Amino acid sequence: AQSVTQLDSQVPVFEEAPVELRCNYSSSVSVYLFWYVQYPNQGLQLLLKYLSGSTLVKGINGFEAEFNKSQTSFHLRKPSVHISDTAEYFCAVSEDDMRFGAGTRLTVKP
Amino acid sequence: DAGVIQSPRHEVTEMGQEVTLRCKPISGHNSLFWYRQTMMRGLELLIYFNNNVPIDDSGMPEDRFSAKMPNASFSTLKIQPSEPRDSAVYFCASSLTGTAEKLFFGSGTQLSVL
């Protein structure tokens, strides 16, 4: 079965700095990859997804992710973060069903 | 559309009591998922349905947990009897046609078992 590993449980950064949240996956077949964001006391919302085609995927709120098949990675990036980006971010892989990573808490400090 | 609707928003109960969590998926969505979120284990898939049929319930912790989807617009997750270790946030999500599609999440049910 597929699985996802998010390498950082917490990432603190200063406002307007770039950020990268790391995600590695394992799967025996072609997969679909997703990044979701969770704000406090809310459900998850989709940031972006990779199904096929271009390996660089652009999502909402200025986020983008790059699918790297050789490294089995799908890291999330943003060139300049805002205070409002403070949230929990989940990487997910879909094969037979949707499996989520443990999450990375991004804290943006002024 | 109002999105995925879960009820109750919060549930506090005593150990041994039966707990029923409810979910109304987005109209027209064919797949429904139940997840449990805790600090220790993150977001765990409990069960998912496709066209009201349970496809994979391997994530259901034990026999105390059961889920039903009697029709396309309603699902329940029942815990009987409940235990303190069941305390978590339970999320319901739906998608149009399965796991390759975007999941739409409800706001969750915060369950506390005392």
Side-chain angles (χ1 to χ4, degrees):
Chain A
Q2 74 276 32
S3 66
V4 173
T5 302
Q6 291 185 242
L7 300 166
D8 308 295
S9 60
Q10 296 187 56
V11 174
V13 294
F14 287 105
E15 193 173 18
E16 297 184 6
V19 71
E20 178 180 82
L21 306 184
R22 297 180 294 169
C23 172
N24 286 92
Y25 70 93
S26 66
S27 174
S28 58
V29 297
S30 297
V31 294
Y32 305 125
L33 295 160
F34 305 78
W35 275 99
Y36 282 81
V37 60
Q38 184 180 30
Y39 298 103
N41 301 315
Q42 294 185 27
L44 280 68
Q45 303 170 36
L46 182 70
L47 271 180
L48 49 81
K49 64 180 179 181
Y50 171 79
L51 302 183
S52 64
S54 173
T55 57
L56 183 63
V57 180
K58 293 190 183 297
I60 63 171
N61 301 342
F63 283 92
E64 63 181 33
E66 186 159 17
F67 171 61
N68 188 318
K69 188 174 182 179
S70 62
Q71 297 185 7
T72 60
S73 67
F74 191 56
H75 301 334
L76 182 71
R77 302 186 183 99
K78 186 170 182 177
S80 176
V81 295
H82 302 292
I83 298 287
S84 59
D85 292 323
T86 294
E88 189 93 16
Y89 291 80
F90 292 90
C91 183
V93 60
S94 172
E95 185 182 307
D96 300 322
D97 51 47
M98 183 79 78
R99 302 281 173 169
F100 287 83
T104 297
R105 177 163 296 280
L106 174 65
T107 303
V108 181
K109 299 180 284 187
Chain B
D1 199 310
V4 176
I5 300 173
Q6 290 187 247
S7 64
R9 191 78 171 88
H10 301 276
E11 176 80 37
V12 180
T13 190
E14 293 185 344
M15 182 173 64
Q17 297 297 307
E18 177 179 297
V19 175
T20 299
L21 311 182
R22 297 173 176 81
C23 175
K24 182 182 186 323
I26 292 174
S27 176
H29 281 192
N30 294 323
S31 296
L32 183 141
F33 305 77
W34 281 101
Y35 286 90
R36 177 172 68 176
Q37 186 177 34
T38 61
M39 288 291 291
M40 293 296 292
R41 298 188 178 193
L43 206 59
E44 302 172 275
L45 177 65
L46 300 178
I47 185 171
Y48 85 93
F49 296 84
N50 203 35
N51 293 320
N52 311 339
V53 176
I55 302 299
D56 183 358
D57 65 354
S58 60
M60 295 286 264
E62 47 197 276
D63 292 345
R64 297 184 298 106
F65 286 69
S66 62
K68 294 182 179 179
M69 193 165 185
N71 57 63
S73 60
F74 184 65
S75 176
T76 60
L77 178 68
K78 185 177 292 186
I79 308 172
Q80 166 62 17
S82 58
E83 296 182 3
R85 60 193 169 121
D86 301 330
S87 298
V89 180
Y90 291 81
F91 286 103
C92 175
S94 71
S95 73
L96 198 55
T97 56
T99 59
E101 294 287 332
K102 171 181 176 180
L103 295 188
F104 292 80
F105 281 78
S107 297
T109 295
Q110 173 82 56
L111 174 64
S112 298
V113 183
L114 307 177

